[in-house]
Amino acid sequence: CVLFFSHLLSLSGIDDEKVIYDTDNRKDVYELDPTDPFRILAEKSIVALVSKGSYGTANSYGNYNFLNPGVLSNSRRLGAVRNLCSDQKFIYDPAVAFCSGTLIAPDRVVTAGHCVNSADCSSKSVMFNYYITGHNSDGYPTFPNITAEDIYHCKSVYSVLQGTWDYAVIHLDRTVNLTRHTPVNITTVGASIAVGTSIAMIGCPSGIPFKIDTGGQVTNSRTSALDYFEATTDSFAGNSGSGVFTSDLVQVGILVRGATDYDTSDNCTRVHTILNCVSNCGEDISYAYVTANVTDCKSNTECSGNTTCDRTCSVDATNCTGFCAVPSASPTQSPSQTSSKTASVTKTASRTASPSVTPSITPSTSVSPSITASSSETSSNSPTASPSPSMLFGGCATQGGARM
């Protein structure tokens, strides 16, 4: 999905990159101590979103070897994909993911709403074990085994992409092997995160294997809106959907938007660095509490309050599950996702590593989160009305081939 990546971006008109704040804090999983809790999160709970089938077929030992140096084309490595200068990090890393995600239940992954919707759910897969264990003598990265128990498919999706609201919950085609993979703790409370709070992010910057950034800080809580907060995470295209965690390992956010990250000079590109981002600046991170309140259902009796069970089951209608949602709410006007930022940083509309996964949405129904925005928000990024994010509900359609 990332072959001819830069060319595809220019054709689409989508600038979906991010940026380094002060120092590049991205680290490979193997660089952290084996007992480090964030390393364990990366190994057990983080996923890469990839096109279904892009990983090929398993060999006779049951392993997918598409990342091996003799198999993966050099044109799919970050240095070639981004035309990186030779002094840049991660040039030999494969760039095969278009978004990132986090396991929050045995059959649920949270990601960004612009990464997947009901129209393309059946062509998307999630992949565990997409992390680097070291490098061989030629400098190419090595990986743990990736087997069928590390690859799952999108069965249905609850996707939100409306104004500043951007998040999704993917229902996997089967329960994960819990001896290999572990759901994270995710916040269920709609409370703001204090400015200055230290956070960590794990995901796939520019589509490359999981990187851990523990150097981020919250710069804007957007307390009155609680739709997203801003922080100085070192994030790039492909980090969309990345889990953002506090020091107690609770997922509090989902990375969705940010600033341009690459500069071109000397006929090659280098990461763009922004210095002294302290207040009302940084990357946009959706509050995660809204995803924790998504409820499965097979009938209206399983839904509470004024919600009903929205199920679209073209196949296997008996076992297909849907999501409880408010059926009749309509979204109100929200600001554009592109807005001016402090320190001359301009946000862009999406953070995928492939333009084809950014949906053009015609909402089928909508629902308001449990905490709505207030028009009294003073930030220039704040909504002018209380937004009700529109929802897209994925059914149990047959799973087709890879779309990219």
Side-chain angles (χ1 to χ4, degrees):
C1 67
V2 293
L3 193 59
F4 306 119
F5 175 66
S6 299
H7 176 61
L8 287 173
L9 283 179
S10 63
L11 290 177
S12 70
I14 294 174
D15 178 3
D16 58 357
E17 303 169 3
K18 295 185 183 66
V19 68
I20 296 298
Y21 291 88
D22 295 310
T23 302
D24 190 343
N25 294 302
R26 295 173 297 164
K27 290 185 177 181
D28 273 308
V29 171
Y30 76 90
E31 295 183 85
L32 278 67
D33 187 90
T35 62
D36 187 287
F38 289 114
R39 172 171 174 165
I40 294 170
L41 274 184
E43 294 173 338
K44 297 290 187 181
S45 309
I46 306 302
V47 300
L49 272 63
V50 297
S51 296
K52 189 178 181 184
S54 62
Y55 35 81
T57 57
N59 61 22
S60 58
Y61 298 100
N63 299 321
Y64 292 87
N65 63 359
F66 70 109
L67 297 176
N68 290 356
V71 178
L72 185 76
S73 168
N74 283 335
S75 65
R76 299 185 71 189
R77 299 188 185 279
L78 184 63
V81 170
R82 282 294 183 178
N83 187 33
L84 291 183
C85 301
S86 60
D87 59 352
Q88 296 297 283
K89 298 172 70 172
F90 312 127
I91 29 180
Y92 291 118
D93 280 19
V96 302
F98 63 82
C99 278
S100 310
T102 308
L103 186 72
I104 63 165
D107 62 349
R108 293 290 185 272
V109 163
V110 296
T111 187
H114 66 263
C115 288
V116 60
N117 63 35
S118 58
D120 58 17
C121 167
S122 63
S123 67
K124 308 304 179 192
S125 299
V126 305
M127 181 170 63
F128 294 90
N129 281 15
Y130 185 51
Y131 62 87
I132 292 173
T133 58
H135 292 82
N136 66 17
S137 58
D138 294 322
Y140 289 105
T142 56
F143 298 86
N145 288 335
I146 297 176
T147 73
E149 291 187 326
D150 303 309
I151 298 176
Y152 299 80
H153 311 298
C154 180
K155 178 180 179 181
S156 61
V157 63
Y158 181 94
S159 184
V160 179
L161 183 56
Q162 180 69 29
T164 55
W165 301 91
D166 189 344
Y167 58 90
V169 179
I170 297 173
H171 181 183
L172 302 179
D173 63 318
R174 63 197 191 279
T175 299
V176 303
N177 182 340
L178 292 174
T179 65
R180 295 172 68 88
H181 311 302
T182 307
V184 303
N185 293 321
I186 187 167
T187 184
T188 59
V189 179
S192 65
I193 302 172
V195 170
T197 299
S198 295
I199 56 173
M201 181 188 67
I202 311 175
C204 305
S206 297
I208 62 178
F210 305 150
K211 299 295 182 274
I212 302 171
D213 169 17
T214 58
Q217 284 196 327
V218 176
T219 61
N220 181 7
S221 300
R222 290 178 57 85
T223 301
S224 297
L226 290 181
D227 49 354
Y228 69 90
F229 59 94
E230 293 176 299
T232 56
T233 53
D234 294 332
S235 47
F236 293 72
N239 271 125
S240 279
S242 293
V244 176
F245 304 87
T246 48
S247 59
D248 57 358
L249 307 184
V250 174
Q251 183 174 359
V252 294
I254 304 161
L255 194 285
V256 293
R257 292 180 295 273
T260 300
D261 55 287
Y262 288 107
D263 295 326
T264 300
S265 63
D266 303 322
N267 297 316
C268 58
T269 58
R270 292 182 172 88
V271 294
H272 178 63
T273 300
I274 293 176
L275 302 177
N276 303 318
C277 171
V278 177
S279 178
N280 296 323
C281 54
E283 310 292 279
D284 289 358
I285 300 168
S286 293
Y287 276 100
Y289 72 93
V290 288
T291 65
N293 296 324
V294 174
T295 305
D296 295 349
C297 61
K298 290 185 178 179
S299 68
N300 290 340
T301 59
E302 297 176 305
C303 298
S304 59
N306 62 339
T307 62
T308 59
C309 187
D310 190 299
R311 297 170 72 229
T312 305
C313 302
S314 58
V315 176
D316 192 18
T318 301
N319 296 317
C320 173
T321 57
F323 301 98
C324 294
V326 177
S328 59
S330 59
T332 54
Q333 183 64 36
S334 297
S336 167
Q337 291 177 352
T338 303
S339 57
S340 178
K341 297 180 68 177
T342 305
S344 301
V345 179
T346 302
K347 293 180 187 175
T348 53
S350 64
R351 291 296 169 270
T352 58
S354 170
S356 57
V357 297
T358 303
S360 175
I361 292 182
T362 302
S364 58
T365 184
S366 59
V367 63
S368 298
S370 56
I371 297 180
T372 56
S374 167
S375 59
S376 64
E377 176 67 57
T378 58
S379 168
S380 62
N381 294 322
S382 63
T384 57
S386 299
S388 299
S390 56
M391 301 303 180
L392 294 178
F393 302 92
C396 301
T398 54
Q399 296 170 358
R403 197 162 66 81
M404 291 179 283

